Amino acid sequence: MRRSGFHHRQHGRQGGFRGILGKLALAAVVVLICTVSFLFSSSMSGSGGSGYSVEANVEKLWEPAYSDGWRPSSAPRTDWPPPPSESNGYLRVRCNGGLNQQRSAICNAVLAARIMNATLVLPELDANSFWHDDSGFYGIYDVEHFIKTLRYDVRIVEKIPEVRKNGKTKKIKSYQLRPPRDAPVSWYLTTALEKMKEHGAIYLTPFSHRLAEESDNPEYQRLRCRVNYHALRFKPNIMKLSKGIVEKLRSQGHFMSIHLRFEKDMLAFAGCFDIFTPAEQKILQKYREENFAEKRLVPSERRAIGKCPLTPEEVGLVLRAMGFDNSTRIYLAAGELFGGERFMRPFRALFPRLENHSSVDPSEELVANARGLAGSAVDYMVCLLSDIFMPTYDGPSNFANNLLGHRLYYGFRTTIRPDRKALAPIFLNREKGHAAAFEEAVRRVMLKTNFGGPHKRVSPESFYTNSWPECFCQMSTNNPADKCPPENVMEILDGQLEREAANDLESSTASNSTVSVAE
């Protein structure tokens, strides 16, 4: 289903900020983004690019990508009983990494708890992550909403309750385990479950990439989507700040967001040193040696094979070649750019209307509430709700990858994903003075990329980047697996939960009656 050219574009937008928060609830049926679409195809001749209209294509990019009749749906489509009243024990996890690495880990933790019939203890967020932020789950996410949304899937408690035994109150001590990376479901049903039954609780740490992403069970994947796109809602203060920024940006028309991953840690990880001064190269080399496993890299080759983040100037050149002019308003989600102003100056010359959350809203409230993980959460929401999102490095970047998946789920919102490998020789030729037909060459590369429509997931693309087709459905289809669930799916799940509660009450009453007779 990969489309070449700028995709069919849709008329109309999905309702505003509250649409993602309220309307994208657990319900299976999400309002179809559009009912009218038109066909637009572009073609380029070998040299002149005839048939290509820059202005027309830019206008189409501000609208969502063509859905081909698909709509987001993560509700169960087969029998999905509620969690039993008696679980096999408690599951604790420590989610390490930054905000979005932790987000993926939380999704995996919920799925692991469902697989083992475990009671999930509210996941712990690593305080020693990149942000050095100890605000934890309570400081970032809406805990009540998280527990309520997943009530059909797993039992969740905020902490392991104490138990009374022989007239004494006793704490359950968790048995600590280190799961293998990308552990299969079988590991959780054997090694982990055995220890849980033996000790009453297990503690899995670290818990990043500790459950295999791909699964033959589509219901498991839909559960991940329910967690990621419905249950994990940021706290009200973060949502309020994000909404205010989006409203200010959109008051002047469309806006684009860019994740400018031109930062020390990513440059050091990728081994991209050659465009920096000798002093800067030493800083990057030292950071790499201290933080990453030893691996022989040839810095002079890294850019040539597309392994480096795009420079700010390269980002601007791609956008200019695609037809965006200097009136385009751009929101930058980025940490501290390595190399400073000399790398930003050419970008700003091309696109002077650059913003970040501090420039859009310099209020004391934002400064006080947008530090560390909370600041990353604000950036995440603004990028999610922007008209166009562009990552400059979507390799191991959890921020970009999660956003790409979330925007796909949130109505196939336009994304611009530069093909760095294909663009690299074009940029290098330009640096050597061969600038003729540069923009045409860039356009030719970009016309072959996907702009946010449904497309097949091919390794190494992550499930969290592209949850199609498991978390999408069609109203009219010949394939039963793709058919949208019934509109009353919530009533069905509520009924199952009520019956489970009634059965528990009946069992409890019968048990108490037996005890009374015995006495």
Side-chain angles (χ1 to χ4, degrees):
M1 291 196 62
R2 193 173 179 84
R3 306 266 173 185
S4 62
F6 285 81
H7 303 298
H8 306 264
R9 319 308 291 180
Q10 294 174 304
H11 288 301
R13 302 292 275 171
Q14 188 167 345
F17 186 85
R18 295 189 179 275
I20 187 174
L21 310 181
K23 303 292 196 257
L24 284 179
L26 190 57
V29 180
V30 178
V31 176
L32 189 60
I33 304 300
C34 78
T35 55
V36 180
S37 64
F38 64 89
L39 178 65
F40 175 82
S41 61
S42 58
S43 61
M44 293 183 66
S45 65
S47 58
S50 61
Y52 178 82
S53 169
V54 170
E55 294 79 9
N57 281 289
V58 165
E59 285 305 309
K60 302 300 170 278
L61 283 172
W62 289 116
E63 301 297 334
Y66 177 56
S67 70
D68 201 21
W70 291 93
R71 59 178 66 181
S73 174
S74 59
R77 297 176 206 174
T78 57
D79 183 45
W80 188 257
S85 56
E86 294 293 328
S87 74
N88 288 318
Y90 293 94
L91 172 63
R92 290 176 57 206
V93 299
R94 180 177 67 84
C95 305
N96 54 304
L99 177 73
N100 293 282
Q101 187 171 318
Q102 292 173 352
R103 190 180 184 102
S104 301
I106 294 167
C107 297
N108 287 341
V110 172
L111 178 54
R114 174 77 188 196
I115 289 168
M116 293 190 291
N117 180 27
T119 298
L120 178 66
V121 182
L122 204 65
E124 300 170 21
L125 305 188
D126 189 0
N128 298 313
S129 65
F130 174 79
W131 295 105
H132 305 291
D133 188 321
D134 61 357
S135 52
F137 201 103
Y138 293 92
I140 301 296
Y141 295 109
D142 185 332
V143 173
E144 183 180 350
H145 176 80
F146 180 76
I147 295 173
K148 182 179 179 181
T149 301
L150 297 172
R151 65 190 182 280
Y152 306 112
D153 306 303
V154 291
R155 293 187 181 276
I156 303 173
V157 295
E158 296 185 39
K159 61 180 181 179
I160 299 178
E162 296 178 336
V163 295
R164 287 191 64 81
K165 192 172 183 179
N166 300 325
K168 294 182 179 180
T169 301
K170 185 180 179 182
K171 289 185 177 180
I172 299 176
K173 188 174 182 180
S174 305
Y175 182 85
Q176 185 167 319
L177 278 172
R178 184 185 180 92
R181 187 177 176 88
D182 298 320
V185 169
S186 59
W187 184 86
Y188 287 88
L189 291 174
T190 53
T191 304
L193 186 57
E194 287 169 9
K195 293 298 182 183
M196 178 178 287
K197 289 181 176 179
E198 180 183 347
H199 297 275
I202 58 173
Y203 182 39
L204 304 184
T205 177
F207 199 73
S208 173
H209 306 289
R210 301 295 158 168
L211 176 58
E213 259 189 35
E214 294 299 330
S215 172
D216 293 332
N217 187 337
E219 294 298 358
Y220 285 174
Q221 302 295 57
R222 284 191 273 273
L223 175 54
R224 279 176 161 140
C225 287
R226 289 198 290 281
V227 181
N228 205 7
Y229 307 134
H230 299 294
L232 283 174
R233 186 170 71 186
F234 295 123
K235 289 188 67 175
N237 66 304
I238 293 174
M239 301 305 279
K240 178 184 175 184
L241 289 171
S242 306
K243 178 183 177 182
I245 291 172
V246 170
E247 287 178 345
K248 288 180 180 179
L249 289 168
R250 190 156 284 143
S251 66
Q252 298 183 40
H254 295 301
F255 78 96
M256 175 192 303
S257 62
I258 296 177
H259 186 220
L260 205 55
R261 199 67 170 92
F262 201 71
E263 299 159 342
K264 180 170 68 176
D265 63 323
M266 191 53 68
L267 291 164
F269 171 82
C272 302
F273 305 159
D274 61 319
I275 62 173
F276 296 99
T277 66
E280 289 168 339
Q281 289 185 28
K282 287 182 180 179
I283 294 172
L284 292 173
Q285 185 62 47
K286 184 173 185 291
Y287 188 92
R288 179 174 176 80
E289 291 171 356
E290 293 175 349
N291 292 277
F292 302 113
E294 185 177 351
K295 183 179 180 180
R296 185 180 178 277
L297 298 176
V298 182
S300 60
E301 296 177 355
R302 300 301 284 171
R303 287 184 70 214
I305 57 176
K307 294 296 184 182
C308 293
L310 296 183
T311 68
E313 182 181 17
E314 288 170 345
V315 173
L317 291 171
V318 168
L319 292 175
R320 184 55 63 87
M322 292 178 69
F324 293 95
D325 60 30
N326 62 5
S327 68
T328 306
R329 197 166 195 190
I330 297 174
Y331 179 89
L332 294 179
E336 183 178 352
L337 265 65
F338 191 74
E341 181 60 24
R342 81 174 187 276
F343 284 100
M344 280 301 297
R345 198 175 296 116
F347 186 27
R348 191 174 287 109
L350 290 167
F351 294 94
R353 301 183 71 190
L354 300 179
E355 305 275 10
N356 59 26
H357 62 238
S358 298
S359 64
V360 177
D361 183 0
S363 67
E364 291 184 8
E365 181 184 9
L366 186 133
V367 173
N369 291 282
R371 295 191 181 98
L373 289 173
S376 183
V378 169
D379 277 346
Y380 184 94
M381 287 306 304
V382 176
C383 290
L384 174 63
L385 297 169
S386 63
D387 300 294
I388 297 173
F389 172 63
M390 180 181 182
T392 60
Y393 192 68
D394 56 349
S397 171
N398 294 290
F399 184 94
N401 285 336
N402 272 1
L403 265 169
L404 290 169
H406 207 154
R407 287 177 63 86
L408 191 78
Y409 191 83
Y410 183 39
F412 303 107
R413 299 173 82 87
T414 299
T415 57
I416 296 176
R417 300 175 69 176
D419 183 342
R420 298 190 310 279
K421 186 175 182 179
L423 289 169
I426 301 172
F427 284 125
L428 291 174
N429 279 338
R430 180 180 179 274
E431 290 172 11
K432 294 173 183 176
H434 308 304
F438 169 77
E439 290 194 348
E440 181 185 329
V442 170
R443 281 197 292 271
R444 187 179 292 114
V445 168
M446 294 306 297
L447 283 167
K448 296 177 183 177
T449 62
N450 182 282
F451 289 86
H455 61 281
K456 185 178 180 181
R457 185 170 66 251
V458 178
S459 180
E461 188 174 36
S462 164
F463 174 79
Y464 293 106
T465 301
N466 178 12
S467 60
W468 184 89
E470 294 94 335
C471 295
F472 295 82
C473 69
Q474 291 182 311
M475 294 299 291
S476 299
T477 177
N478 293 325
N479 185 354
D482 295 335
K483 190 171 180 60
C484 290
E487 293 188 15
N488 66 337
V489 64
M490 294 297 290
E491 295 176 17
I492 294 171
L493 294 173
D494 275 328
Q496 290 178 340
L497 201 62
E498 288 173 5
R499 285 193 295 275
E500 181 74 19
N503 291 337
D504 291 345
L505 181 61
E506 186 177 329
S507 299
S508 176
T509 303
S511 176
N512 290 338
S513 298
T514 303
V515 171
S516 298
V517 170
E519 291 175 349

